[in-house]
Amino acid sequence: MEYNFKKVHTGKDLIISTIVLLAGIGLFFVNMGLGISIAICGLFLYLVYKGGYKKDGKGILLTRKSEDICKACRTSIIDFLEGKNNSPTIKKGNEGGSLRLDVYFNNAENVAYAQLYDFCNYTYEPATGIIELKGDKADKLISLL
């Protein structure tokens, strides 16, 4: 199953953008040019500063984490994602080759979406599809990151 993760605003994003905008408005009365410049930066942040993700643009707010891990852990991680293994071994680094594990997760809901990539010919190529993990499996993967 193919998922599309869209970038969305989080509460922190909106707070930071608002603070920059208000700082620009406040500085307008002290130094007009600086105030206008900072206020424009605050408005620009509203448009482009998005730190969260949502699956297909709906649902719960997810956080993305990517890790480079050793190639020796490949079979353990694939077995964990397929449900054959209950405890994966994740060793960070690039010893013996490199893999990338992308995980979109929400701690409160105990849900995670994981995908493993192989590093081949100077690009990352998908080794697995996006796999949905729930409950204890998602919690286990999130704790290892």
Side-chain angles (χ1 to χ4, degrees), residues 66-130:
S66 294
E67 289 288 337
D68 286 330
I69 52 178
C70 296
K71 198 161 193 151
C73 304
R74 186 179 196 278
T75 57
S76 173
I77 294 170
I78 289 177
D79 288 345
F80 176 76
L81 293 176
E82 292 176 350
K84 299 175 185 174
N85 184 4
N86 288 334
S87 58
T89 49
I90 294 179
K91 184 178 176 188
K92 296 177 184 174
N94 57 4
E95 186 176 313
S98 185
L99 301 171
R100 186 178 82 200
L101 180 64
D102 285 349
V103 181
Y104 297 88
F105 64 92
N106 186 315
N107 283 332
E109 299 286 331
N110 278 342
V111 66
Y113 300 91
Q115 185 171 17
L116 188 66
Y117 293 90
D118 286 321
F119 187 71
C120 184
N121 296 327
Y122 299 106
T123 60
Y124 284 104
E125 298 174 359
T128 64
I130 297 174

Side-chain angles (χ1 to χ4, degrees), residues 7 9 14 17 40-50:
K7 291 189 91 162
H9 292 289
L14 296 175
S17 300
I40 289 172
C41 289
L43 291 173
F44 185 69
L45 284 176
Y46 274 119
L47 298 174
V48 298
Y49 189 49
K50 298 177 181 179

Side-chain angles (χ1 to χ4, degrees), residues 23-39:
I25 292 171
L27 283 173
F28 177 79
F29 298 108
V30 176
N31 184 342
M32 186 186 308
L34 182 63
I36 291 172
S37 299
I38 292 179

